[in-house]
Amino acid sequence: MNELTTQVFASDRAGLSGAAKLLVNGGLVAFPTETVYGLGVDARNSDAVARLYQAKGRPSFNPLIVHVASLENAEKLVVFDDTARALAQAFWPGALTLVLPLRLDAKISPLVTAGLETLAVRVPDHPVAQGLMVAFDGPIAAPSANPSGEVSATKFAHVRDQMTGRIEGIVDGGDCGVGLESTIVATQPKPTLLRAGGLPVEALEAALGDELALAGETAAPSSPGQLASHYAPKGTVRLNAIDLEDGETLLGFGAVDAAVNLSPSSDLIEAAARLFDALHQLNALGAEKIAVSPIPDHGLGRAINDRLRRAAAPRSGAAT
Ligand code: TXA
Ligand code: MG
């Protein structure tokens, strides 16, 4: 692909209006959300979506999340059942993606859903994402703004380093607060967790008054992006490491002496926010064998461990 000129926009009104204009013209624009940076395109424009897949090097069977400014806008794209509406009212704007039946008149490009009859939607809780959606005034399809198979971007510098020359624009909105992708839930035929993420499962289960089923246990669609190498840093990964073996670099959690530490104070929220930056740092250090301290498997720890297990899995298949 030819090198593109990548414009950097400030997150003020003029910047957002320039970025929105690129989207209107079918351009690819990275922007911050509270979870990770997204790589946005007009979700109704198939040419633009095709260019997005190409820019990410993403396999085209992998569907995208559509970002909208409000529940009201989401209702124009998908059919909400009572459970989905209750979850949206409780957690939007926020790190929750709902997979729901696509409306026939939604005008979403079939490349966004990869031909599925469901659509993943969310309302991000970030002023810059909100500002961009208002300026653009339409649905924005946005996968995480990293090349396929690489670590998601949680800082402007990550996107700039990974995507310059591949996309038309980047809105510089600083760091992402949550640092993990959204939690993905389908409500039909029963509430099912498709991807653990930035909204803790416990919060969802408290709102539902019931446990979430796990993907694979029900007929709910699985998340095709949940492939093993999704979160791969360049080195191999060994989890639950108490001691360091020869040649290993420690990704620490808690009061340990580590090359990179997710949270010296064992704070899972801090660890989530730092996770992808830590993997970028380990790549920059040239770490070939990464050992990871044990991380408790509750709250955001569950999503962190999920990401790290994927990073630890043998490399094969596609990734987003
Ligand atoms: O926090 C996030 O969710 C970020 C920000 C940018 O919003 N986005 C993100 O997108 O993580 P991406 O493309 O990297 O991951 C989207 C996930 C994939 O695992 C994909 O398979 C799943 O959503 N997905 C999308 N549409 C789906 C559908 N109709 N049914 C099941 N899974 C779906
Ligand atoms: Mg991704």
Side-chain angles (χ1 to χ4, degrees):
M1 193 166 62
N2 291 335
E3 282 269 305
L4 297 171
T5 303
T6 304
Q7 265 181 278
V8 173
F9 296 99
S11 58
D12 57 11
R13 188 186 281 265
L16 293 176
S17 128
K21 221 168 271 169
L22 283 185
L23 289 175
V24 169
N25 291 325
L28 312 182
V29 179
F31 63 98
T33 80
E34 80 279 31
T35 59
V36 298
Y37 269 78
L39 178 52
V41 289
D42 181 344
R44 299 158 299 193
N45 180 336
S46 287
D47 290 341
V49 180
R51 292 183 55 240
L52 171 74
Y53 281 121
Q54 188 189 23
K56 269 187 69 92
R58 182 179 203 174
S60 58
F61 49 76
N62 216 338
L64 306 173
I65 296 172
V66 168
H67 299 66
V68 291
S70 63
L71 171 57
E72 198 187 334
N73 288 350
E75 301 239 26
K76 294 178 193 154
L77 304 179
V78 290
V79 182
F80 280 75
D81 53 62
D82 291 346
T83 307
R85 193 168 291 111
L87 291 178
Q89 278 161 352
F91 298 110
W92 281 355
L96 171 67
T97 293
L98 292 168
V99 171
L100 297 169
L102 178 66
R103 281 191 189 279
L104 292 177
D105 60 356
K107 299 200 174 72
I108 296 295
S109 161
L111 275 181
V112 167
T113 54
L116 298 174
E117 287 171 5
T118 53
L119 178 70
V121 283
R122 88 177 186 96
V123 177
D125 184 17
H126 192 291
V128 177
Q130 280 284 341
L132 182 63
M133 288 184 302
V134 169
F136 174 61
D137 193 24
I140 300 177
S144 49
N146 52 287
S148 189
E150 293 185 23
V151 174
S152 296
T154 53
K155 291 172 180 283
F156 168 69
H158 297 157
V159 190
R160 185 195 57 207
D161 295 350
Q162 292 180 320
M163 301 309 289
T164 296
R166 296 188 185 217
I167 62 179
E168 276 83 12
I170 307 174
V171 183
D172 180 357
D175 297 357
C176 302
V178 176
L180 285 176
E181 294 94 339
S182 59
T183 302
I184 306 182
V185 169
T187 53
Q188 297 295 336
K190 60 185 286 202
T192 303
L193 179 68
L194 300 184
R195 176 176 78 183
L199 178 65
V201 170
E202 289 88 340
L204 283 159
E205 293 183 334
L208 287 167
D210 198 2
E211 283 192 1
L212 280 169
L214 297 178
E217 287 174 2
T218 73
S222 65
S223 248
Q226 294 293 71
L227 293 164
S229 62
H230 196 160
Y231 299 97
K234 298 207 163 68
T236 59
V237 177
R238 185 169 68 86
L239 299 179
N240 284 317
I242 311 281
D243 296 308
L244 268 193
E245 293 172 5
D246 249 9
E248 285 185 332
T249 305
L250 183 63
L251 173 59
F253 178 83
V256 288
D257 185 13
V260 180
N261 200 318
L262 290 171
S263 173
S265 64
S266 302
D267 177 342
L268 287 169
I269 294 173
E270 179 184 44
R274 285 191 185 170
L275 177 64
F276 290 130
D277 187 47
L279 298 180
H280 282 283
Q281 283 180 43
L282 289 163
N283 282 345
L285 289 173
E288 288 175 5
K289 295 180 183 175
I290 301 164
V292 186
S293 300
I295 297 169
D297 207 39
H298 58 75
L300 288 179
R302 188 158 159 185
I304 295 170
N305 282 320
D306 173 78
R307 301 295 183 278
L308 288 170
R309 260 192 301 278
R310 287 172 204 291
R315 302 297 150 75
S316 70
T320 63

